[in-house]
Amino acid sequence: MITIRSIARVAPLLVTLTLGTAFAGDIVGKVKYAGTAPTPAKIQVTKDQAVCGKAEHIDESLLVGPDKGVKNVVANISDPKDGKKYTPPQKPSLDQNGCKFVPHVDIVPAGQEIDIINSDGILHNIHTFPKNNPPFNKAQPKFKKVMPAKFDKPDVVQIKCDVHSWMNGWIVVAGHAYYALTDAGGNFKIADVPAGTYTLEYWHEKLGKQSKSVTVPATGSVTADLEYAAK
């Protein structure tokens, strides 16, 4: 027999199942640099000039746009309320192209295989410096165009090439869905975050880590801008 009391108990569950992710909003923001940003230093190519010297190399550790937006800042919530996994638009990859790592900073899901690509057709070497995952140091000769790799635990992993000392990059291993990388203008968006209050973290390889509290609405978006002090 269906009673008013039983309907009252079931109603909240029905609402949740019906609305699904309706109680979710976006976190949008811009990361800026205070003061005058330094001009990226030019990097001297000292080996394999025929391949590595085709394009100019600059230090990518701090890239600031004309309106002070900082590129390659990773924004994420440190206290997610669900177990949703990070899903990139395509299979993650790290390319060695022009004797640089492309992209310089990448976000990959924990536990998912990524492709390490050698587009240069010369000997490279992948040397990782993780905190939470086993390190590896593997040669990738020209005939091995694609080499698989995997990081099982959330981490921030520095990557270098022992053959070309100037090559440097980062892989951020995401343990959940709510990560984003700032673009050349310093802008980012973390979409479909369940409504609630979170700690939003910002990480940059040179400017360090900062955090702030942010409350995500049931619909719409919340703006969470940040400014790094000049260093």
Side-chain angles (χ1 to χ4, degrees):
M1 179 178 179
I2 299 177
T3 65
I4 293 177
R5 181 176 297 177
S6 64
I7 292 174
R9 286 199 301 267
V10 174
L13 176 60
L14 292 176
V15 170
T16 301
L17 292 175
T18 301
L19 293 180
T21 58
F23 292 116
D26 301 334
I27 303 174
V28 297
K30 184 179 183 73
V31 179
K32 301 184 74 172
Y33 185 83
T36 302
T39 300
K42 292 183 179 180
I43 293 175
Q44 183 179 4
V45 173
T46 57
K47 192 171 184 178
D48 292 319
Q49 289 282 349
V51 175
C52 303
K54 288 181 179 180
E56 183 181 63
H57 288 250
I58 64 168
D59 182 358
E60 298 182 83
S61 63
L62 179 56
L63 299 177
V64 180
D67 64 346
K68 312 243 183 228
V70 183
K71 186 179 181 180
N72 289 330
V73 177
V74 177
N76 75 283
I77 58 175
S78 65
D79 45 0
K81 301 184 186 299
D82 60 23
K84 188 176 178 182
K85 301 298 183 183
Y86 181 76
T87 305
Q90 56 191 12
K91 184 177 181 180
S93 65
L94 177 70
D95 195 4
Q96 295 153 106
N97 195 325
C99 300
K100 63 174 65 176
F101 291 117
V102 182
H104 179 69
V105 178
D106 200 11
I107 302 173
V108 307
Q112 181 175 333
E113 186 179 272
I114 71 170
D115 288 335
I116 299 176
I117 302 169
N118 183 350
S119 293
D120 286 333
I122 58 175
L123 175 66
H124 281 300
N125 177 272
I126 301 295
H127 195 169
T128 67
F129 298 84
K131 296 179 180 178
N132 303 322
N133 289 276
F136 61 84
N137 189 358
K138 298 180 180 180
Q140 189 171 12
K142 62 181 181 180
F143 57 81
K144 186 178 287 187
K145 185 172 178 59
V146 179
M147 186 168 63
K150 187 171 68 170
F151 303 91
D152 289 323
K153 298 178 181 179
D155 210 344
V156 176
V157 182
Q158 187 176 22
I159 298 177
K160 295 184 177 182
C161 175
D162 289 345
V163 179
H164 306 95
S165 59
W166 65 86
M167 290 180 64
N168 180 59
W170 298 85
I171 290 180
V172 176
V173 187
H176 57 75
Y178 308 108
Y179 279 73
L181 184 68
T182 59
D183 61 18
N187 304 294
F188 72 92
K189 176 181 178 180
I190 305 177
D192 298 325
V193 182
T197 299
Y198 301 89
T199 299
L200 182 65
E201 293 184 342
Y202 304 82
W203 173 87
H204 183 268
E205 62 179 286
K206 193 166 187 177
L207 302 176
K209 181 184 287 188
Q210 293 194 25
S211 63
K212 66 191 305 181
S213 179
V214 60
T215 299
V216 180
T219 59
S221 64
V222 60
T223 300
D225 293 335
L226 180 77
E227 186 173 72
Y228 275 108
K231 285 193 175 183

